[in-house]
Amino acid sequence: MSNHIICFSPSGATLGQRILAVEDVFAADWELTQCFGADHESLSDWTKRVFQPGNNLIFIGAAGIAVRAIAPYVSAKQSDPAVVVMDEKANWCIPILSGHLGGANLLANKLAKMTGAQAAITTATDVRGVWAVDSWAKQERLTVVNPSGIKEISAGLLQGQTKKLFSEFPISGKLPEGLVFSDAASCDIYIGIHRLTDRERQPLYLVPQALCLGIGCRKGASGEQMDALFEKVMEQNGIWHEAIEIVCSIDLKKEEPGLLDFCAEHFWGLKTYDAETLRNLKGAFTASTFVKQVTGVDNVCERSAKKGSGNGKILIPKTAQNGVTIAAAMKTVEISF
């Protein structure tokens, strides 16, 4: 994810600098681009470059300019970035794309609070004070696996219906009006890492990044071999890919081409630990004399998964295939209303 501001006048640039100066609001790095004067990046080139899933885009200028700039690239609500427009005097702050899933509404409200602008929120749930499942999912860092189901949930709540929610994880806070807890068999919204296989009508799945994937491999193992075992393990355990937060291994494998390819394919980061760190972990692990001779530690996949998860519970024990081993451990998940 990256964050970008583009402005079209000196006054807009001043507002952009003012926004960037508020470190407690925008902790992440932001890029400010001036689209005026000599030798500047063209608006079309800038938009093409930054219009990527997960990004935050702020246009400081006329809304029409922003609409025309993004129009060729708008694709789907689950992948479009958050786009917010502000006028150069900070009178209005308008989310124009991906208000809920992308977080544009949340971004607009933050900008309004810090600049004194009026946030012009137009989404029906927000206007009518109804809980918005996709906006809340964004806030709680839950991935919406089947976003086509959002419409049914939101439409039902707007009509005064009650929607049932089930969660694999504890939830703190008071449920919003219109929601009640239920079991997995009858829920409309399912929060967790597992897929349900015994229901004809599937719920809306909200998946937290709750798992750390530990991988061990022989030298030269390919990304395809790792992916084959990964898909097998996920299928056997009924777990969504979206539940994986990070991949971990021993530092001997930090430059292993196949492992790097596997992580890049899935857009996951790779974190590695030295043998001593892994060896000192407490717990029961599937030991291998051969692995210990090669790496200095009796198990790589389970130990690295446990370490990466913050000493969490091993949910998927060591599974081996074609020179690759995989395990997964559960990190602590906190969800609240």
Side-chain angles (χ1 to χ4, degrees):
M1 183 184 80
S2 58
N3 309 290
H4 304 268
I5 303 174
I6 191 165
C7 52
F8 306 102
S9 69
S11 295
T14 299
L15 175 58
Q17 293 291 352
R18 179 182 163 196
I19 291 170
L20 296 182
V22 185
E23 296 180 359
D24 60 331
V25 176
F26 297 114
D29 292 333
W30 283 74
E31 173 192 86
L32 175 61
T33 300
Q34 297 182 0
C35 194
F36 62 91
D39 300 324
H40 61 76
E41 183 177 13
S42 73
L43 176 58
S44 59
D45 288 344
W46 180 87
T47 308
K48 183 178 181 180
R49 174 169 64 86
V50 304
F51 198 93
Q52 301 294 332
N55 284 358
N56 293 306
L57 313 183
I58 300 174
F59 288 78
I60 301 179
I65 295 175
V67 170
R68 290 185 177 91
I70 67 174
Y73 308 106
V74 175
S75 176
K77 66 186 303 178
Q78 64 265 36
S79 58
D80 289 334
V83 181
V84 173
V85 179
M86 293 188 73
D87 65 281
E88 62 183 35
K89 289 190 175 182
N91 292 314
W92 299 98
C93 191
I94 312 166
I96 63 170
L97 187 68
S98 203
H100 286 162
L101 275 181
N105 286 3
L106 294 173
L107 177 59
N109 283 322
K110 284 184 179 180
L111 289 166
K113 184 176 181 180
M114 62 175 284
T115 63
Q118 175 66 51
I121 308 298
T122 59
T123 41
T125 49
D126 298 273
V127 171
R128 293 174 55 180
V130 173
W131 178 71
V133 61
D134 40 359
S135 185
W136 178 77
K138 173 72 174 181
Q139 177 183 309
E140 294 298 308
R141 299 185 64 206
L142 304 173
T143 299
V144 183
V145 173
N146 51 335
S148 60
I150 293 172
K151 183 177 180 181
E152 180 182 348
I153 299 298
S154 296
L157 291 173
L158 285 166
Q159 294 168 14
Q161 298 175 8
T162 297
K163 294 297 181 181
K164 299 177 181 179
L165 180 146
F166 172 82
S167 177
E168 296 179 20
F169 304 97
I171 299 179
S172 61
K174 183 180 178 181
L175 281 182
E177 185 176 353
L179 288 188
V180 295
F181 285 117
S182 76
D183 56 20
S186 62
C187 69
D188 302 298
I189 303 169
Y190 187 103
I191 302 173
I193 64 173
H194 293 95
R195 302 189 301 269
L196 300 179
T197 58
D198 54 354
R199 282 187 51 172
E200 181 178 346
R201 179 176 170 273
Q202 292 295 301
L204 180 68
Y205 287 103
L206 308 181
V207 181
Q209 288 186 314
L211 297 182
C212 175
L213 194 68
I215 294 185
C217 64
R218 69 185 178 208
K219 185 175 182 180
S222 68
E224 288 79 9
Q225 289 172 312
M226 296 177 198
D227 203 54
L229 179 56
F230 169 72
E231 294 290 348
K232 176 182 176 180
V233 168
M234 293 294 103
E235 181 66 28
Q236 288 177 342
N237 290 275
I239 293 176
W240 294 105
H241 290 195
E242 289 81 357
I244 306 299
E245 181 185 46
I246 195 169
V247 174
C248 293
S249 190
I250 193 167
D251 59 0
L252 292 174
K253 300 298 178 180
K254 64 183 178 181
E255 301 295 339
E256 189 69 40
L259 183 56
L260 295 176
D261 288 345
F262 172 74
C263 291
E265 178 187 352
H266 293 280
F267 301 99
W268 291 324
L270 173 64
K271 190 168 186 178
T272 60
Y273 304 96
D274 59 57
E276 182 179 3
T277 297
L278 296 180
R279 192 166 51 243
N280 290 335
L281 286 174
K282 304 299 182 181
F285 303 98
T286 308
S288 166
T289 302
F290 175 75
V291 171
K292 187 173 183 179
Q293 290 174 344
V294 174
T295 67
V297 62
D298 62 0
N299 180 294
V300 169
C301 63
E302 291 177 348
R303 287 180 178 272
S304 61
K306 189 174 183 66
K307 178 64 177 176
S309 67
N311 205 37
K313 176 184 177 182
I314 293 183
L315 184 69
I316 302 174
K318 175 182 175 181
T319 304
Q321 178 177 286
N322 294 332
V324 178
T325 60
I326 282 181
M330 180 85 75
K331 58 179 282 191
T332 300
V333 175
E334 297 179 355
I335 302 173
S336 64
F337 284 104

